[in-house]
Every structure is written in C-alpha cells, then in structure tokens.
Amino acid sequence: MKKEDLRIVFMGTPEFAVATLQALVENGYNVVAVVTQPDKPVGRHGSVLQPPAVKQYALEHGLPVLQPVKMKDPEFVEQLRSYHANLQVVVAFRMLPEVVWAMPAYGTFNVHAALLPQYRGAAPINWAVINGETTTGVTTFFLDHDIDTGRIIMQLPFDIPDTADVEYVYDGLMHLGAKICLLTLERIVEADGHPESMAQPEGADLKPAPKLFKETCEVCWQQPAKRIYDFVRGLSPYPGAWTTIVSPEGRETVLKLFRTTKTERPATAAAGSIVADRKHLYIAAADSLLQIDELQLAGKKRMDAAAFLNGMKDIEDYRAVSGAGTQSK
C-alpha cells in the first residue's frame, strides 16, 4: 500500500488537535473530510458563534467540514459514509458510536495524551501533573466499545520536569501527538492497513483522568505542600486551582492560584493559616508553608504576590478555607 491509498477522515476540536491535522496535510496525506464540534456561542449574550480551532484550520486549507450535534444522526452518518474513508484519525474529540468508529475498512485510531492504560479519560494531561508524575506520553490505539481501552498501536514517552505546569506538558504532547500520528500512519501503510497492535494491560493500580469541574479544582490545604504544589501546576493556567480566603469579619475572597514554590519552612499554625511579609505570601499546608507566587482576584488580572500584598495589608488576619479538592482523593 502507498500512503496515497489512504482516504482519511480527521476528527478533533481544540488547538491540541490542529497540530496533528496540520502534520497530515503538510505530509501529503489525503484528508477527505474533517469532523468537529458545532460552533460555540461566546460573548456576553452568547450571540457570537466561535468556530473550533480545527474548523478554522480545515477551512483555511479547503477541507470539507462536518459539525454534527449528534454522532448517531442518520443524516450525518450517511454524509460521513459518502466520503468513502478507509481510515479515521481522532484527536481530542468525543466518544464515538460504533456505527461511526467501525465504518472505515482500516478502523479508527485515537491519539491519546497519556501512556495507556494509565489516565484514561477526558483530562489526562492535567491529572498526570496533579499526581506528580515525572513521565507521561502519547498513545495511538484503535477505538472499541469502551473509552480509551482499545488495542495499542504505538507509544512515545514525554518527561515532566518538577517545575512544569500543565501548559508546558500540553504544548509538548501536542507536538508529540502529531509525531506519533505520522509514525502510526507509516505502520498502517507498511502493514497494508492492518498494523500489529496489543491489548492494554489491566490492573488494580490504574489512575483515571476524569473531566475536571470547578468544584474539584478547589485547594485542600490539609494536604502535604508537595501535593498542593503539584495540584496548582496541574491546573495552571487552565482551568486554575482556587481557594477562598476569609477575613475576621467573615468576608470571603476567591483567589485563583497559578504558581507556587515549595519551602522548607514548617507550618506552625493550622492548615490554611496565612503568613506574609512585604513581598512574600505563604499559606500553611499540612506539613510546611507553601509560597504563593502568582495569583488572581476575581475580576482582576493575574498578578505576583508583591502586587497582591500591596492591596491586602491585613492579609495575615485572613485564613484560607480548606476545600475538598480533587487532590484529596
């Protein structure tokens, strides 16, 4: 088989998927159509429709775009079938019904931002950092009935520095995902459409990567400082770890935390207690003080601790409320 024999439908939505689609186009693969999410209402009244990043790239390069609301819609399924694709590539999209993923002769493979079977789910990049992993990676696998459980084709590792936030890992895996997609396509071509693959190992110590919600991004201060440090960088810059500080009068202020530093200063007061000097802000974790370097007040711009302290002279009278937080699980 030659790569020109492949007729590929690409499925993806966010910027993360654009790098892979771009790699396919620039390396001469025949992308016959692109499937992405419907345009999203934005603006104060939701009156403006924002197209997904994948759609913008596809239209700029003359690729047909399909935006189904429901993947099982008979009209969409027939429209998809009309492109006579023999392979589908999925990156950061949505769960597909069997009528869609089983349609091409060579199947449908997904580029997942983790080393499966670890971190199956919607937020694998965030969870790898939250859990303090030093290595993650990307996996290509064939879709089947269950989420992220199909047969593995290839994997590539990616190192996570202790100082890296999720944005750094996101960018690294975005480009590594494009690379592994091309390598996987080469294997498919060499194997006449049917490359070797292996079943995913199963075990009791698998770590999931469920979708993140606002309430699960609240910091739990009754944790070791290292866990909170990882939690903050695993959510920075998006969706953002947050905490509520309360004044002696009971006035509540919500803070988003973007960057912290571990210290060797022991916590001599209860978790959530605040310590500060002219330029430095600390909050007590279960074992030591965590230095807060960059934060954001609701409705304000992101700022460093010194700027925050300029407007909060009585900050040591406040305390940080300890939420449940995903890191406490």
Side-chain angles (χ1 to χ4, degrees), residues 11 71 76-77 80 88 96-104 108:
M11 299 185 180
M71 299 299 291
F76 162 70
V77 172
L80 183 64
Q88 291 175 156
L96 303 180
E98 183 174 2
V99 68
V100 172
W101 60 255
M103 187 182 296
T108 300

Side-chain angles (χ1 to χ4, degrees), residues 15 19 48 54 69 82 86 98 104-105 172 208 313:
E15 178 192 12
V48 178
V54 162
V69 175
S82 72
N86 51 21
E98 183 174 2
K313 302 300 183 183

Side-chain angles (χ1 to χ4, degrees), residues 208-224:
K211 186 176 180 180
L212 293 164
F213 297 94
K214 179 181 177 181
E215 60 270 20
T216 53
C217 294
E218 185 179 10
V219 176
C220 174
W221 295 104
Q222 294 172 331
Q223 297 276 316

Side-chain angles (χ1 to χ4, degrees), residues 12-256:
T13 297
E15 178 192 12
F16 188 89
V18 174
T20 301
L21 177 58
Q22 181 178 355
L24 296 180
V25 171
E26 293 182 353
N27 283 273
Y29 283 96
N30 183 19
V31 180
V32 297
V34 170
V35 181
T36 189
Q37 296 275 42
D39 294 1
K40 184 178 181 179
V42 295
R44 186 173 181 180
H45 302 291
S47 57
V48 178
L49 292 178
Q50 176 68 39
V54 162
K55 177 183 179 179
Q56 295 180 54
Y57 180 88
L59 293 179
E60 289 169 1
H61 292 80
L63 301 175
V65 175
L66 308 179
Q67 295 179 276
V69 175
K70 296 182 179 180
M71 299 299 291
K72 291 184 178 180
D73 186 307
E75 184 177 344
F76 162 70
V77 172
E78 287 308 307
Q79 189 178 14
L80 183 64
R81 201 184 308 276
S82 72
Y83 286 98
H84 303 289
N86 51 21
L87 180 69
Q88 291 175 156
V89 176
V90 181
V91 183
F93 193 45
R94 58 197 286 189
M95 188 173 180
L96 303 180
E98 183 174 2
V99 68
V100 172
W101 60 255
M103 187 182 296
Y106 304 142
T108 300
F109 77 81
N110 180 275
V111 178
H112 186 74
L115 297 176
L116 292 172
Q118 297 293 354
Y119 297 109
R120 293 169 176 163
I125 304 176
N126 298 93
W127 280 102
V129 182
I130 287 171
N131 287 336
E133 302 287 2
T134 57
T135 302
T136 184
V138 288
T139 301
T140 50
F141 69 98
F142 285 114
L143 294 189
D144 63 11
H145 293 92
D146 298 315
I147 296 175
D148 300 335
T149 61
R151 294 183 65 85
I152 292 173
I153 309 168
M154 290 188 69
Q155 293 187 315
L156 293 175
F158 181 84
D159 292 335
I160 306 177
D162 182 63
T163 56
D165 61 17
V166 77
E167 185 173 41
Y168 172 91
V169 183
Y170 180 99
D171 290 343
L173 295 184
M174 179 172 66
H175 294 100
L176 194 62
K179 178 180 178 180
I180 200 173
C181 181
L182 295 178
L183 293 173
T184 300
L185 288 172
E186 290 175 8
R187 285 196 181 182
I188 290 173
V189 169
E190 292 169 359
D192 291 328
H194 302 285
E196 291 186 6
S197 60
M198 67 175 186
Q200 294 188 32
E202 296 292 342
D205 59 345
L206 296 184
K207 300 173 183 177
K211 186 176 180 180
L212 293 164
F213 297 94
K214 179 181 177 181
E215 60 270 20
T216 53
C217 294
E218 185 179 10
V219 176
C220 174
W221 295 104
Q222 294 172 331
Q223 297 276 316
K226 172 63 164 66
R227 295 202 68 183
I228 301 172
Y229 169 79
D230 291 335
F231 185 68
V232 171
R233 66 192 183 97
L235 297 170
S236 179
Y238 183 83
W242 62 277
T243 191
T244 301
I245 59 173
V246 182
S247 72
E249 299 77 30
R251 185 174 67 256
E252 295 185 352
T253 303
V254 175
L255 304 178
K256 269 195 173 183

